[in-house]
Amino acid sequence: MFRSILGLSLLLVTSSAPAALAPGAPAPDFTTQGALAGKPFFFTLKQALKKGPVVLYFFPAAFTPGCTVEAHDFAEATPEFNKLGATVIGMSADTLDKLQRFSVEECRNKFAVATATPAVIKGYDVALPVRPGMTNRTSYVIAPNGKIVFAYSAMSPQGHVSGTLDAVKKWRIARK
């Protein structure tokens, strides 16, 4: 019994699955509360897309090992995303208070994190099946026209930053 539970746990942590919304699909618009460098603000996808592509990544919970690694990786890559005109925003079902601390401590004041409401979780179909109310780990690149150009789901944090960065670069090249 223990081995089967351990095996299932490892499968959930290491497996990848198709992202909920496929490239070409419209990204659901939303407004939610977020934090950047510990300061709260309202984030609206439609407004962010006016500035350029948006890297929207969902993560299960702030201050957990995988989510901390992923936040550090996105923080290191944020200057490159910014050079390409992309906005990075992380999303989880955590409270705003927790995300304010996470934005400072783990996101290193480099990019915003925001609360994934039940409506956002449903709209992006990113519910974590084994933990109701939490999101899985899915990353999207959304073009300014509101269409998804890249989607990647895997519970491991590896591959999310490189995949989204490559997708933003390819999108930029296609636009020239």
Side-chain angles (χ1 to χ4, degrees), residues 28-152:
D29 189 30
F30 63 91
T31 298
T32 191
Q33 290 185 296
L36 176 60
K39 295 181 172 57
F41 72 100
F42 282 95
F43 176 86
T44 302
L45 179 62
K46 189 175 185 177
Q47 289 299 112
L49 289 171
K50 289 179 181 180
K51 300 174 194 167
V54 171
V55 175
L56 179 70
Y57 85 91
F58 291 89
F59 60 96
F63 298 108
T64 58
C67 298
T68 296
V69 165
E70 187 176 30
H72 290 178
D73 290 348
F74 269 110
E76 288 178 23
T78 295
E80 194 164 355
F81 281 111
N82 291 342
K83 281 188 226 172
L84 296 166
T87 299
V88 174
I89 182 144
M91 302 280 296
S92 79
D94 290 312
T95 64
L96 182 59
D97 288 345
K98 190 173 185 181
L99 291 173
Q100 284 178 270
R101 288 182 301 137
F102 192 69
S103 74
V104 172
E105 295 174 31
E106 307 303 350
C107 303
R108 300 174 178 163
N109 301 324
K110 301 276 183 148
F111 65 94
V113 285
T115 300
T117 64
V120 171
I121 293 169
K122 183 177 180 183
Y124 283 85
D125 196 16
V126 292
L128 186 61
V130 295
R131 296 291 303 264
M134 292 176 72
T135 69
N136 63 21
R137 191 178 313 279
T138 298
S139 297
Y140 294 105
V141 174
I142 305 166
N145 67 0
K147 299 286 185 184
I148 293 170
V149 296
F150 174 82
Y152 177 70

